[in-house]
Amino acid sequence: MIEIELDGQKVEVTEGSMIMHAADKAGTYIPHFCYHKKLSIAANCRMCLVDVEKAPKPMPACATPVTNGMIVRTRSDKALKAQQSVMEFLLINHPLDCPICDQGGECQLQDLAVGYGPGASRYEEEKRVVMHKDVGPLISMEEMSRCIHCTRCVRFGQEIAGVMELGMVNRGEHSEITTVLGDTVDSEVSGNMIDLCPVGALTSKPFRYSARPWELSRRKSVSPHDSSGANLIVQVKNNKVLRVLPFENNDVNECWIADRDRFSYEALNTPERLTSPMIKHGGEWKTVDWQTALEYVARGVAEIQRDHGGRAIGALVSPHSTVEELFLAQKLVRTLGSENVDHRLRHAEFASEEGVRWLGTSIASLSTLQRALVIGSNLRKDHPLFALRVRAAVRSGAQVSVVHDRDDDWAMAMAGKSIVPAGQWVQALSDIATVIGDEKGSKAPLQGNATDTAKAIAASLLSGERKAILLGNAAAHHPAASSLLALANWIAEMTGATVGYLTEAANTVGAQLVKAVPGNGGLNAKQMLEGGCKALFLLNTEPAFDSAVGAGKLGGQGSMVITLSPFKANLDISDVLLPIAPWTETPGTFVNAEGRVQSFHAVVKPLAETRPAWKVLRVLANMLGLQGFDYDSAQEVLQEARGKADAEQAFVQGSLLSNRTAKAAWLGDTDARPVAAAIYQLDGVVRRAPSLQLTADGLAGQQQAVAQQQVAQPNARAMEVTA
């Protein structure tokens, strides 16, 4: 540790730290623009100049290393005059268009200009003009004349996102930030550049000119999409969500969020919202009131239960639903006498599991991995925030290998790639296991071939210390998922790695926790989709997009399909549509991949006749005369779902978590084609977000979804259902 004196205060910091780090530790604010704690030091703006004793001139706090006994003054006349001079220089070419600037009210330059800027400018020449750029549907670069060349956006792309989509060209007053070749910005985390921009040169295109910052209410929430459980700030005006920003949590999402977390809110304000209950009469949809709709459902379900027994009733539930919704859905079905409930909509194998599948380690630990093997995932698109952490580990020397069926660009250096058809993933893991077994003197569960690719991946896993084997969405959906897990566990045991599932959705872990899976004799998702139930509840799911077999044989004479959704979904297969609240309009709880339990409140009131799904399920149970559904709040539902003893614990009880399997490894179906959703096709909310669907990933995902529906039925016939 090194001790320095900062404004008369003694501060101890680690060797190699900068004056800015010492100031942060001491709670002293030094004005700055280009410095950011998560980015490399550029020292571009010079706004952080401070007075260092014995130094001939003011020094930049962000780029000046501390030395023992250093004396620093941040508020001396020398420091203040230097900062004021820099501010005057920065304002020479700035357009000073605060009244019409979209960042007015939350602009760092505006704030600092009040304290450090002159009352009048001495610069009388014309200001420079920088032409706007069109970089896609998410980021607006209409006002690049405001840019002060802090290069935060450039460094973010290069260091955090892994894709240097923006760069600075030319010199002097001709310098400008651009994509150089006129390309669009297509990174899955590009929206973070908007947050990083301190002057309003980069702004949110969907939010642009919608509201002023001081008009917005700010409310905390949790992302409803992938399994990272990113913490959010949802900004609201007139009971309408207008913007979503990251809430910093270093253990979960640091200070970043993915673009689908940031821009998916647009779907909540589209005409596709279902605002009133609807019943299909004679092939036509009629709007009705809640009492009529619920009586119709209760009467239909009661008749089916009477005529065909409780086992004719089932529920397909989305793992993007809250813990409370999933718990009540499975409780409703089971109280009616059925075990037909499942959240594994895209799975091809339905083996019974010994415990709750999870990440196998903490999210934060992904940043410190030394070795990793990812199976069946394009990590960058499936789990953007996990990819940021793994990329940070690679920048620190980690080695990452992958077994997948596509040679995707991970925007990081890869130690080994086994790119083979999905039907050969078991063989690829067997090859790796064989090499490791030969090295360790043990026999692999399945004998493979010592290929060059297997040797490279095995050598990586046999070296280093902190290691993880991560199974992605496609590995979880694979017809031989248990075999992949068995081999992963054996390799991990031989190499000292952890084994975990990246887990697909915001609440995949929570769905397992509340037993949203079939019990003894219950039908799985595939069997229900193929017409195994007479009455079927669809909670937050659209089988045509969310399942491995499409809509199957749902709908038709003598059956009843009840859709609970925030959107006008499943119109061709449903008999009743019940409008339920999306994540912004209901309290609830998500459990992320590491087992972290995160509850949130509604940030706006439910739209029109929309109601929270937990209330709809509770009332429906009451109308069916079922006991045990007298809940007054979502918190009461959560307490019962988790058990009163651990309802307040921040993490799922460790004894419930397990990535072990008792099944032996087998070769599996060599023609297997597991289903994995594209980044902007993951759930009903992102599918309906207009700006996301206009991105390069969005357009590609739409094509993939069409192709997936075309092969859904052949894929279904190829599946073997495992009890």
Side-chain angles (χ1 to χ4, degrees), residues 225 267 320 540 542 546 567 681-689:
H225 304 304
H320 297 279
N540 266 327
E542 298 169 77
D546 296 332
F567 304 104
Q681 292 290 320
L682 186 62
D683 59 76
V685 177
V686 294
R687 278 196 294 271
R688 292 174 172 84

Side-chain angles (χ1 to χ4, degrees), residues 45 60 74 77 102 132 320 371 400 403 421 513 521 617 630:
C45 70
T74 68
D77 287 343
D102 199 52
H132 69 272
H320 297 279
R371 301 291 184 269
V400 178
V403 174
L513 187 68
L617 293 168
D630 298 323

Side-chain angles (χ1 to χ4, degrees), residues 373-387:
L373 172 61
V374 180
I375 304 163
S377 175
N378 177 1
L379 188 66
R380 179 180 163 192
K381 301 299 182 182
D382 294 345
H383 302 277
L385 298 182
F386 291 169

Side-chain angles (χ1 to χ4, degrees), residues 279-569:
I279 296 177
K280 187 184 289 184
H281 281 296
E284 293 187 3
W285 286 101
K286 305 292 185 183
T287 299
V288 298
D289 57 50
W290 269 106
Q291 185 69 21
T292 301
L294 290 175
E295 286 178 354
Y296 180 83
V297 173
R299 185 167 57 251
V301 170
E303 289 177 0
I304 289 171
Q305 182 188 32
R306 183 185 66 242
D307 297 341
H308 303 280
R311 293 186 178 182
I313 302 168
L316 292 172
V317 295
S318 169
H320 297 279
S321 302
T322 66
V323 167
E324 294 82 355
E325 293 165 357
L326 293 168
F327 174 75
L328 287 182
Q330 65 83 28
K331 183 177 180 180
L332 174 66
V333 169
R334 289 191 162 100
T335 307
L336 287 168
S338 173
E339 292 291 336
N340 307 331
V341 58
D342 208 347
H343 74 278
R344 302 166 298 176
L345 304 173
R346 294 189 175 101
H347 284 226
E349 184 200 67
F350 299 91
S352 57
E353 299 170 350
E354 299 174 12
V356 174
R357 304 303 194 207
W358 69 301
L359 187 61
T361 185
S362 68
I363 291 175
S365 70
L366 297 179
S367 301
T368 60
L369 288 175
Q370 293 182 354
R371 301 291 184 269
L373 172 61
V374 180
I375 304 163
S377 175
N378 177 1
L379 188 66
R380 179 180 163 192
K381 301 299 182 182
D382 294 345
H383 302 277
L385 298 182
F386 291 169
L388 296 189
R389 289 190 178 272
V390 174
R391 188 174 297 114
V394 170
R395 287 173 59 84
S396 299
Q399 296 180 7
V400 178
S401 303
V402 62
V403 174
H404 200 28
D405 59 357
R406 298 192 310 274
D407 190 8
D408 300 306
D409 178 11
W410 280 36
M412 67 181 82
M414 304 296 290
K417 290 183 179 181
S418 179
I419 308 301
V420 296
Q424 298 177 29
W425 289 354
V426 175
Q427 181 64 54
L429 284 187
S430 299
D431 294 345
I432 298 168
T434 297
V435 176
I436 292 173
D438 292 343
E439 185 72 24
K440 292 286 189 178
S442 298
K443 185 178 180 181
L446 285 176
Q447 199 62 28
N449 304 311
T451 64
D452 291 341
T453 300
K455 288 178 181 178
I457 296 175
S460 175
L461 289 174
L462 286 166
S463 61
E465 294 182 0
R466 296 180 296 277
K467 311 171 193 178
I469 299 176
L470 303 170
L471 293 100
N473 299 347
H477 304 159
H478 200 281
S482 295
S483 185
L484 294 173
L485 179 58
L487 285 166
N489 275 311
W490 190 88
I491 293 171
E493 188 177 340
M494 291 293 106
T495 59
T498 61
V499 175
Y501 281 94
L502 295 166
T503 69
E504 179 182 28
N507 209 19
T508 300
V509 173
Q512 299 171 80
L513 187 68
V514 300
K515 300 292 190 294
V517 291
N520 292 332
L523 302 180
N524 59 46
K526 177 176 180 290
Q527 293 168 327
M528 284 187 270
L529 286 166
E530 292 183 336
C533 296
K534 291 291 185 180
L536 187 63
F537 292 92
L538 300 177
L539 175 61
N540 266 327
T541 184
E542 298 169 77
F545 301 98
D546 296 332
S547 76
V549 296
K553 299 178 181 177
L554 294 185
Q557 195 68 26
S559 65
M560 180 181 230
V561 177
I562 306 105
T563 290
L564 294 86
S565 173
F567 304 104
K568 299 171 184 175

